[in-house]
Amino acid sequence: MPAAPPFDPQAIADAKFEEREVRPGVTTKRTICQTCDIACSVVAEVEKGRVVKIRSSDNPIFRDNICMKGIMAPKGLADPTRILQPLKRVGKRGSGEWEKVSWDEAISDIGQRLKAIIAKHGPEAWAVSTSQWNTATDHGLGRRIMNHVGSPNWISGVALCAGNTAAVNRFTYGWFPMGDFANTKCIVLMGHNPRRHSWTPMYNFIRQAQARGAKLIVTDPRRSSSAERADIWLPLKAGSDAAMMLGWLKVILDEELYDKKFVENWTIGFDDLRKRVDEYPLERVAKLTGCDPEMIAKAARMYATEGPSIIPWTPITDMQRNSTSGIRLQSILRSVCGYVDVPGGERLEGFNPDIINESTIEMHHVLSDAQKAKQLGSDQHPAFTYRGQEAFREPTKRVYGQEYANLIMGCHMATPSATFRAMAGQGPYPVKAFFFLGNNPLMSYANMPLIIDAMMNQDLIVAHEHFMTPSAQLADYILPGDSWLERPWLMDSFGWMSSVRPSEKAMEPPGECKSTFEFWKLLAGALDKPELVPWDRLEDFYDYRLEKTGMTFDQLVKKTDIYFAPPKFRQYEQKGFATPSGKVELKSSILEELGFDPLPYFREDPPVDPEYPLKLFTGVREDGFFQTGHRHIPEMRKRHPEPLLFVSPGTATQYHLAEDEWVEVENEMGKISIKVAIKDAMPDDLIRIPHGWWKPEMKQGAGHLSGALKYADAQLCRDDADYLDREQGIPHLKGVPCRINKVEQSEQSVAPASAMEPAE
């Protein structure tokens, strides 16, 4: 059977399994890998009750979707440093002194202490940080309990990655689209660079599309592997994405390459948009982006005329001081060219009517307006908060059947920077209890020094984790979490697509590890609200969510790899778009009501400080790691033994840098140690550093944090006004001023031969 992208649900459902033989004594389970956020379908081979191998799926549609992180998962999760029993801090915070306790002891004390904090300071004094990228899901139960308790202060790393994209897309057409890779004729990658071992399915989708003739446009300061395969590569200046898209719109509107019928019938604000776009002639855009004006025009024409085209999600526009405008411009380009909800374009799927979705489970309607108004950051940066998303309630119910749609967990969040300031005693009220699940918050947000102060100022910190991360080292309780091999999963595409996929439990969790479902169920009981999680088992909860299908979870697993609503296009012709006007809002009525510019714009960089002449681009992704994880696995560390600073040959010559030399990267906020790697693909005057570096083998506790204080990029990520997006309040991570300092002595690698061999 020919390969097809897995987001063609009919192809998945119709695929005939080609089960491979396994050796005697080995059974197989069809699972979904959760070592990163792309959710590849794989097979777990089980022997004597333990997973011994992960291999690619028997479904031919998924056959090539596997990477080294998934293959190494069984070894990583069996590491002897994994936390298998609840730990309670017995010394000072960050002292590294722990005692083992039972779950009953831990939850009882946590419940009593949390209730005391709420009684003293109010429910808003409790904040939670988690991400389904890391836990796969908390089933909507975390928000459900918080909403009933009365706390609006839920934060997530998706504020910087995909969740904020989903929330901002709603300002244009009410939902977050998914590109139809199987039928598109042109793909635009804005800085994103999927690779064979990083976002593997996306890499495969793009290669398959190109093989059948689809065009590829890449905008990226570096000459990435995707740029080398592109029909057009625009090496724009870091952080100038919004300016580039304004230039594209200038060409498309001036040359009348847009879909006039769709614009006339289904959009509002076109004339105002045209006036704004006229402020960005190609000569100005060329100066802002550093790209040739003719190549800018050529790319715009290719996008508009070769389509239907898609602009897949990219983390790059999520993390800029012009993020809201950049994301809005992507949605506006899709709209004016007529690529919204059409075959080969960008699908607006909505909820699956047969599945009780997690937005429903979360029960946002029970949180009072008074408590929603207390959500941290919503006064200044409301875009993805309750305040910013309030106006979507009626349109979402009109189009999608319910008032609240928490797409990719990115709608109705508190603003992270404001939350940490409140935790540190700098906010409108105190936040004194902080929980994090499958999340390493010290290193996952901007301004790590602030986050340390915030955590040290807490009365109660609870972590649900696998390993002793830098963040867990500052907790009061560390509760051991299960893994994706040790639980079933009903994967609902994080709320934004209508298909769901089942994943079988492959083995029992080791020690006393428990799932997020069990964690929230136990906490609900400790808060005297057991009725909020009435299901005895996770499978019972899934059966409840699947009732309308007429199947139990076990029956769904046996029947199919996917359950989906048949694809429909141009659904807006029946109910309109889920915006206040019912149309695509090129000029956003909601942003205008919130006091922001309703049209996209471009803020130029602040004046250059001669003390910091280079630009810093954070977020190099190493194939062996996902976010801050996997650094305890010897095979992964062998591939990436040290954090690497990517610099161009020209920059290396200018600053007298040698390959493998240890240097410091510094800005106004802090500095990190890092090893030089000279890359021909890098432009001059821009440096790139990796995200999330720490070394599990290094000394733990406050003052050390397993090397995070020495290597973590979050120490350089600013969140002051000049480097925050105005509407969202998220930081600019793609072009922050910095400098490189030479150091006298080279640091020696401290990566041990085995993660079992600790070193200081």
Side-chain angles (χ1 to χ4, degrees):
M1 182 174 179
F7 284 111
D8 180 351
Q10 192 64 58
I12 300 168
D14 292 343
K16 294 182 179 179
F17 285 72
E18 301 169 6
E19 294 191 13
R20 286 167 271 182
E21 292 185 6
V22 294
R23 59 192 178 280
V26 174
T27 59
T28 61
K29 295 290 184 178
R30 296 190 348 257
T31 61
I32 299 175
C33 179
Q34 295 153 45
T35 52
C36 84
D37 51 358
I38 199 66
C40 296
S41 290
V42 296
V43 171
E45 295 188 359
V46 184
E47 186 173 11
K48 296 180 180 179
R50 310 298 296 176
V51 174
V52 295
K53 181 180 180 180
I54 298 295
R55 60 171 171 81
S56 60
S57 174
D58 292 324
N59 187 323
I61 301 296
F62 296 135
R63 180 63 54 81
D64 200 34
N65 293 345
I66 192 168
C67 80
M68 65 176 74
K69 292 184 285 294
I71 291 170
M72 290 303 302
K75 181 169 185 175
L77 293 167
D79 192 273
T81 62
R82 183 172 171 182
I83 298 168
L84 302 180
Q85 186 170 341
L87 300 177
K88 179 181 180 180
R89 175 174 65 83
V90 294
K92 293 181 179 180
R93 173 157 290 131
S95 66
E97 299 175 46
W98 306 93
E99 68 175 3
K100 295 180 179 179
V101 295
S102 69
W103 270 90
D104 287 344
E105 290 177 272
I107 289 293
S108 176
D109 188 42
I110 290 167
Q112 291 176 18
R113 292 169 65 177
L114 181 56
K115 285 190 288 186
I117 290 168
I118 291 170
K120 181 176 180 179
H121 300 290
E124 61 273 15
W126 176 33
V128 174
S129 174
T130 187
S131 169
Q132 295 183 22
W133 290 164
N134 304 95
T135 63
T137 181
D138 77 345
H139 317 285
L141 296 175
R143 297 303 299 269
R144 181 188 186 96
I145 293 169
M146 292 181 75
N147 287 334
H148 278 84
V149 168
S151 175
N153 291 323
W154 189 93
I155 62 172
S156 173
V158 302
L160 307 172
C161 185
N164 62 329
T165 315
V168 174
N169 265 262
R170 298 182 80 190
F171 288 102
T172 304
Y173 33 55
W175 199 262
F176 181 42
M178 177 65 194
D180 183 4
F181 284 90
N183 299 294
T184 193
K185 297 180 179 179
C186 180
I187 300 170
V188 179
L189 292 179
M190 294 188 168
H192 203 188
N193 186 38
R195 301 183 304 281
R196 186 65 189 83
H197 290 281
S198 179
W199 269 55
T200 305
M202 191 70 67
Y203 171 87
N204 290 332
F205 304 166
I206 295 166
R207 299 288 82 79
Q208 291 161 3
Q210 285 188 289
R212 59 175 173 74
K215 303 294 184 182
L216 178 63
I217 303 170
V218 172
T219 66
D220 199 317
R222 65 199 158 135
R223 191 179 70 252
S224 67
S225 56
S226 293
E228 291 178 338
R229 293 184 172 97
D231 296 277
I232 296 176
W233 169 42
L234 294 169
L236 77 175
K237 293 178 183 177
S240 66
D241 303 59
M244 177 65 72
M245 286 183 274
L246 285 162
W248 284 22
L249 280 170
K250 177 65 174 169
V251 173
I252 291 168
L253 300 189
D254 283 356
E255 298 182 9
E256 298 187 357
L257 303 179
Y258 59 93
D259 187 330
K260 295 179 182 177
K261 184 177 180 181
F262 182 83
V263 167
E264 180 180 356
N265 294 333
W266 288 105
T267 72
I268 61 170
F270 181 74
D271 291 340
D272 290 315
L273 174 67
R274 182 188 285 275
K275 291 177 184 177
R276 175 58 53 85
V277 168
D278 284 343
E279 298 174 17
Y280 294 87
L282 281 188
E283 294 76 14
R284 181 186 179 192
V285 172
K287 290 179 180 178
L288 292 172
T289 63
C291 291
D292 178 72
E294 284 303 314
M295 291 303 296
I296 296 171
K298 184 178 180 181
R301 293 177 189 127
M302 180 176 286
Y303 174 79
T305 61
E306 293 285 348
S309 303
I310 60 173
I311 306 174
W313 167 79
T314 169
I316 306 305
T317 44
D318 289 353
M319 304 175 185
Q320 298 184 19
R321 62 200 300 273
N322 290 298
S323 175
T324 299
S325 286
I327 297 168
R328 285 261 296 140
L329 284 160
Q330 291 173 354
S331 62
I332 287 169
L333 280 165
R334 295 168 179 141
S335 301
V336 299
C337 290
Y339 298 155
V340 177
D341 217 22
V342 297
E346 312 270 4
R347 295 175 53 191
L348 303 176
E349 295 195 16
F351 296 114
N352 188 313
D354 296 336
I355 310 295
I356 297 176
N357 54 70
E358 291 190 4
S359 293
T360 297
I361 297 296
E362 290 169 347
M363 300 182 72
H364 292 279
H365 65 280
V366 305
L367 185 63
S368 70
D369 291 342
Q371 289 305 108
K372 287 174 180 172
K374 294 179 183 178
Q375 192 169 52
L376 291 164
S378 63
D379 54 342
Q380 293 184 304
H381 308 290
F384 51 64
T385 69
Y386 279 115
R387 178 176 167 237
Q389 299 284 300
E390 172 69 18
F392 292 110
R393 289 174 58 183
E394 186 282 325
T396 302
K397 185 174 183 178
R398 168 171 47 82
V399 177
Y400 299 112
Q402 62 189 61
E403 289 188 11
Y404 290 94
N406 192 7
L407 310 181
I408 315 187
M409 308 150 283
C411 308
H412 323 304
M413 293 184 290
T415 302
S417 290
T419 302
F420 290 120
R421 283 188 165 79
M423 288 170 57
Q426 304 169 22
Y429 54 79
V431 173
K432 302 301 289 184
F434 184 50
F435 290 21
F436 50 95
L437 292 79
N439 180 225
N440 193 357
L442 272 180
M443 305 169 66
S444 301
Y445 302 95
N447 197 344
M448 183 170 151
L450 169 68
I451 302 172
I452 292 174
D453 290 345
M455 293 181 69
M456 296 301 287
N457 192 43
Q458 294 301 287
D459 291 343
L460 175 64
I461 299 179
V462 177
H464 187 245
E465 252 302 348
H466 292 154
F467 297 99
M468 188 64 75
T469 65
S471 300
Q473 292 169 32
L474 299 183
D476 296 301
Y477 281 98
I478 307 174
L479 304 177
D482 68 358
S483 79
W484 59 276
L485 294 171
E486 301 152 10
R487 61 171 175 259
W489 185 25
L490 187 65
M491 198 281 183
D492 68 348
S493 304
F494 307 111
W496 107 88
M497 292 189 292
S498 62
S499 57
V500 297
R501 293 158 52 204
S503 176
E504 291 185 279
K505 179 178 178 178
M507 59 184 278
E508 292 298 323
E512 298 180 32
C513 297
K514 294 184 183 294
S515 68
T516 53
F517 171 85
E518 294 171 285
F519 171 84
W520 288 119
K521 182 176 177 63
L522 290 169
L523 187 66
L527 295 175
D528 306 318
K529 297 181 182 294
E531 70 280 2
L532 296 180
V533 189
W535 307 276
D536 292 330
R537 305 178 307 138
L538 180 53
E539 291 86 347
D540 299 332
F541 176 63
Y542 287 153
D543 290 347
Y544 162 75
R545 293 183 61 193
L546 291 167
E547 280 180 356
K548 291 183 182 179
T549 69
M551 291 183 286
T552 64
F553 179 79
D554 287 343
Q555 290 169 335
L556 178 66
V557 168
K558 291 181 174 63
K559 180 177 181 180
T560 185
D561 273 350
I562 189 168
Y563 185 89
F564 64 97
K568 296 179 182 178
F569 296 99
R570 297 184 177 87
Q571 297 180 74
Y572 57 83
E573 293 178 347
Q574 281 72 51
K575 296 183 179 180
F577 292 92
T579 60
S581 65
K583 295 188 175 185
V584 172
E585 298 200 355
L586 307 175
K587 178 181 180 181
S588 171
S589 63
I590 298 176
L591 286 174
E592 190 166 38
E593 289 175 5
L594 292 170
F596 295 96
D597 194 329
L599 295 164
Y601 57 87
F602 183 73
R603 294 162 65 199
E604 297 190 38
D605 289 344
V608 175
D609 183 343
E611 291 292 313
Y612 301 98
L614 297 172
K615 290 295 181 69
L616 170 66
F617 190 108
T618 69
V620 171
R621 290 301 195 261
E622 298 118 323
D623 288 345
F625 305 145
F626 177 64
Q627 311 295 30
T628 70
H630 307 142
R631 285 163 172 78
H632 66 286
I633 303 174
E635 289 82 355
M636 299 309 197
R637 283 293 295 282
K638 186 176 180 179
R639 288 177 174 271
H640 315 286
E642 305 290 353
L644 296 180
L645 165 68
F646 291 176
V647 300
S648 72
T651 300
T653 298
Q654 182 179 358
Y655 292 94
H656 309 290
L657 306 177
E659 185 79 10
D660 293 333
E661 175 185 6
W662 281 93
V663 296
E664 291 176 345
V665 175
E666 182 178 15
N667 65 7
E668 296 95 326
M669 178 171 289
K671 61 185 177 182
I672 62 171
S673 294
I674 195 163
K675 204 173 185 181
V676 172
I678 301 172
K679 301 289 185 181
D680 290 336
M682 286 295 296
D684 292 340
D685 301 321
L686 178 71
I687 66 174
R688 299 184 76 233
I689 63 174
H691 170 60
W693 257 92
W694 61 292
K695 297 183 179 181
E697 69 276 8
M698 291 183 72
K699 189 171 182 178
Q700 298 179 4
H704 304 280
L705 298 177
S706 297
L709 294 173
K710 191 163 194 172
Y711 307 113
D713 60 314
Q715 296 174 103
L716 304 178
C717 297
R718 297 171 55 172
D719 66 348
D720 50 290
D722 278 344
Y723 290 93
L724 283 182
D725 175 88
R726 289 170 176 163
E727 294 85 355
Q728 300 175 60
I730 55 95
H732 182 67
L733 307 182
K734 308 303 178 187
V736 178
C738 71
R739 67 185 178 210
I740 297 174
N741 300 328
K742 300 278 282 186
V743 294
E744 292 185 3
Q745 292 183 336
S746 296
E747 178 179 340
Q748 299 300 312
S749 171
V750 294
S754 167
M756 296 176 62
E757 300 172 14
E760 289 191 9

